[in-house]
Amino acid sequence: MSYDLVIFDNDGVLVDSEPISNRVLAEYLTELGYPTTVEDSYRDYMGTAAHRVHDVILERHGDRLPEGFDDLFHGRVFAAFEAGLGPVAGAETLLKTLQQSGVRYCLASSAHHSWIRTALDLTGLRGHLAEELIFSAQDVGVGKPAPDLFLHAARTMGVPPERCLVLEDSPNGVLAARAAGMDVYGYAALTDPAKLTAAGATGLITGLTEVPALLGTRARTSRPRTV
């Protein structure tokens, strides 16, 4: 059996947005009176839907974030993106390779559709991801670690979950893929590989250049190897 679909997370896997967005979020929460470091932001919010920030602040402090928080946060992030967002190393080459090889792929992110498209536009990757290949947690009403988003993407693409390979950089994303019954390789560039493994990652990669060989191995054997 071979993989019939590769599902990419977006932030941190295709676009190098995690350092920027987590810095901006940490600064904004601290400004509002909730001291947060970039490391705190990675730990608590990376790979989750936007409502997670509201849930954590309410749970820990008994406070609701101000009205308009999401819009202002997104505005600050988009401004920071315009100043310095780029693709993850090897992302465009990998997408071109998959296209040329006839390997189907799509994107499934906990971020809002507007966030996804802005990031893809700024990094020049939008041309490799048609509208029908972009899926957001907005489509299902819940983000990772729930499996709903990945199941929705696979169902829409017409591929059984067990024939999908997910590429994720967050433990929550790995948990979501495993709950969906999919193989998932953890991208351990910014994330502690031990955390990805503990979440159930099928294997680990440290760069996108490893993916074509991984898929080639999969096409010749019944199970993928750990890179």
Side-chain angles (χ1 to χ4, degrees), residues 18-19 22-24 26 36-43:
E18 294 291 7
N22 281 281
R23 172 180 57 78
V24 173
T36 305
T37 66
V38 174
E39 290 73 22
D40 294 335
S41 184
Y42 278 129
R43 183 193 64 227

Side-chain angles (χ1 to χ4, degrees), residues 1-2 8 17 29 37 43 45 48 55 64 83 85 87 104 124 126 129 134 148 165 184 191 200 208 217 219 226:
M1 184 182 71
S2 62
F8 289 96
S17 55
L29 289 176
T37 66
R43 183 193 64 227
Y45 308 119
T48 63
D55 295 343
R64 295 190 182 277
L85 180 64
R104 298 178 69 202
R126 183 74 174 275
L129 285 149
I134 299 174
D148 304 50
L165 173 65
V184 52
T191 310
L208 295 182
T217 299
T226 298

Side-chain angles (χ1 to χ4, degrees), residues 13-197:
V13 175
L14 291 179
V15 300
D16 196 18
S17 55
E18 294 291 7
I20 297 173
S21 59
N22 281 281
R23 172 180 57 78
V24 173
L25 179 58
E27 291 173 351
Y28 188 18
L29 289 176
T30 299
E31 176 186 317
L32 292 173
Y34 310 106
T36 305
T37 66
V38 174
E39 290 73 22
D40 294 335
S41 184
Y42 278 129
R43 183 193 64 227
D44 294 334
Y45 308 119
M46 183 171 152
T48 63
H51 66 79
R52 168 71 176 167
V53 182
H54 296 262
D55 295 343
V56 169
I57 295 301
L58 181 60
E59 177 183 334
R60 293 180 180 172
H61 303 279
D63 296 337
R64 295 190 182 277
L65 289 169
E67 184 176 352
F69 173 87
D70 289 345
D71 289 340
L72 182 54
F73 170 54
H74 289 167
R76 291 185 179 190
V77 171
F78 292 162
F81 279 178
E82 290 179 357
L85 180 64
V88 167
E92 185 170 19
T93 298
L94 174 57
L95 294 178
K96 288 180 178 179
T97 298
L98 296 184
Q99 291 169 356
Q100 294 166 358
S101 303
V103 177
R104 298 178 69 202
Y105 63 84
C106 66
L107 179 159
S109 169
S110 284
H112 288 184
H113 276 291
S114 60
W115 179 298
I116 297 169
R117 283 158 178 75
T118 296
L120 293 176
D121 285 340
L122 290 172
T123 56
L125 298 179
R126 183 74 174 275
H128 301 287
L129 285 149
E131 288 295 312
E132 62 269 20
L133 302 181
I134 299 174
F135 301 94
S136 162
Q138 281 185 291
D139 302 332
V140 294
V142 62
K144 307 163 189 176
D148 304 50
L149 174 58
F150 286 134
L151 291 172
H152 169 63
R155 183 169 54 249
T156 303
M157 299 292 291
V159 178
E162 65 272 15
R163 298 180 71 87
C164 297
L165 173 65
V166 177
L167 296 178
E168 266 287 353
D169 70 327
S170 74
N172 280 322
V174 172
L175 288 169
R178 296 305 290 169
M182 301 176 180
D183 280 352
V184 52
Y185 268 66
Y187 181 41
L190 291 176
T191 310
D192 182 350
K195 293 182 178 179
L196 296 170
T197 299

